[in-house]
Amino acid sequence: MGTRIISKWLVLVIDLLMIAASFFLAYLIRFNLSINFDMSKLALQIPVVVLIALIAFLIAGSYKGVSGLAFIRDLNTILIAIGLWSILIIALVVINRKWEIYPDFSIPLSIIILSALLFFVALTASHYVLRVVNNAIVKKNPG
């Protein structure tokens, strides 16, 4: 295992910011790069999406893997976290639709699928950049 210079908690915060940005981008793409959707619903959905992502990341441990050389293992944990997020968010939407807990909370399946794809690209890119930065700092200051 390599030396960690970048805090895993910083990685987690960056991951959660990437999730929020990617979710918003999924809405923009879904609505043809226009803001023809209810922003109040999006404002309600983003905290829920980020909270569920936090739970998925903590379970999968995807925020821990930016040091060392095992990038494939890091990709695996990212995929596990995104899969877990997808299952949890779909379950939440289905339960909410069935029991109408909060009638205005509904995320279209197309947004969930597009978000998962964007999450994978965004998290893979950010983890790669963080890994490169971490390894460069370690090489520059070996002791």
Side-chain angles (χ1 to χ4, degrees):
M1 183 156 73
T3 304
R4 177 186 303 277
I5 301 296
I6 298 174
S7 167
K8 64 183 179 181
W9 303 114
L10 176 62
V11 174
L12 182 61
V13 168
I14 291 170
D15 285 354
L16 294 174
L17 291 173
M18 298 294 273
I19 291 297
S22 297
F23 190 73
F24 178 73
L25 184 59
Y27 259 91
L28 283 178
I29 292 170
R30 166 65 176 80
F31 289 95
N32 297 322
L33 301 178
S34 66
I35 305 181
N36 286 341
F37 51 86
D38 189 350
M39 291 294 278
S40 63
K41 287 183 181 180
L42 180 66
L44 170 72
Q45 292 170 359
I46 284 182
V48 174
V49 164
V50 170
L51 178 65
I52 291 175
L54 174 64
I55 293 166
F57 292 162
L58 291 173
I59 291 170
S62 62
Y63 60 97
K64 296 178 184 178
V66 296
S67 64
L69 301 172
F71 190 62
I72 299 299
R73 186 176 61 211
D74 194 19
L75 288 178
N76 188 39
T77 59
I78 289 171
L79 281 171
I80 291 169
I82 293 170
L84 184 57
W85 173 83
S86 299
I87 291 167
L88 292 173
I89 201 78
I90 290 170
L92 179 67
V93 169
V94 167
I95 289 168
N96 187 54
R97 282 183 189 162
K98 181 166 177 70
W99 285 295
E100 297 178 4
I101 299 166
Y102 194 82
D104 287 339
F105 185 83
S106 181
I107 303 172
L109 187 58
S110 61
I111 298 289
I112 294 171
I113 293 168
L114 187 53
S115 295
L117 294 171
L118 291 172
F119 294 169
F120 179 72
V121 171
L123 294 177
T124 301
S126 70
H127 281 229
Y128 179 76
V129 168
L130 290 171
R131 180 180 298 276
V132 167
V133 168
N134 186 75
N135 292 342
I137 292 171
V138 168
K139 284 182 182 176
K140 188 173 183 179
N141 303 320

